Amino acid sequence: DGGITQSPKYLFRKEGQNVTLSCEQNLNHDAMYWYRQDPGQGLRLIYYSQIVNDFQKGDIAEGYSVSREKKESFPLTVTSAQKNPTAFYLCASSIGGYGYGYTFGSGTRLTVV
Amino acid sequence: GENVGLHLPTLSVQEGDNSIINCAYSNSASDYFIWYKQESGKGPQFIIDIRSNMDKRQGQRVTVLLNKTVKHLSLQIAATQPGDSAVYFCAEPPNSGGSNYKLTFGKGTLLTVNP
């Protein structure tokens, strides 16, 4: 079955560390997205990529970095510059054209210890 | 989409009752809307979508109504079950027919179903 996989499900980060969240999809989708969700809050866009080797900042890109070297993969690195990284991170993908929804992964919960 | 919001942040219903979750939008050019369901600790799941050439669309136990006059859409869940307990988001693309197709999400409504 096609889908989008995020790993790990839970991640713990020490102060000052960079950590990378994995997102892989086998849906042949062109576009991929990273969202952050805080408790009781909506989804805030971190980065998105409409095509391989291209990505754009979303609304809250500071302290995060991404790469899009393969169509299937869109990893997110939470750097030490992100001062409040504890959150639930969601990756999504879409066909990329107008009028299509997203398929979401199951999320990664990141906690700073 | 300039603003996708929800009237009620929480909704509590009895099992078996019908649920109605509302969503307002401000961009009159919006022509495509999606409803997602997010269970606790999981990613959002697509429920149903509707395009502006329709007023109503039905799925399995769910119906979405679109009122373009007042820029309002609603999600109706028939015979609500405990498994329907979740946060429900509406979403819309920001620009009609443009190349920018990032969805804008509402803040969500928490639906709690009491047995």
Side-chain angles (χ1 to χ4, degrees), chain A residues 37 45 48 96 98-99 102 105, chain B residues 31 36 38 51 95 101 103:
Chain A
Q37 187 176 36
L45 182 65
Y48 67 103
Y98 182 81
Y102 294 175
Chain B
D31 61 0
Y36 286 92
Q38 185 179 23
R51 299 183 190 273
N95 293 313
Y101 39 78
L103 293 178

Side-chain angles (χ1 to χ4, degrees), chain B residues 77-95:
Chain B
I77 304 173
T80 313
Q81 303 169 0
D84 295 326
S85 294
V87 175
Y88 291 82
F89 296 94
C90 62
E92 61 170 340
N95 293 313

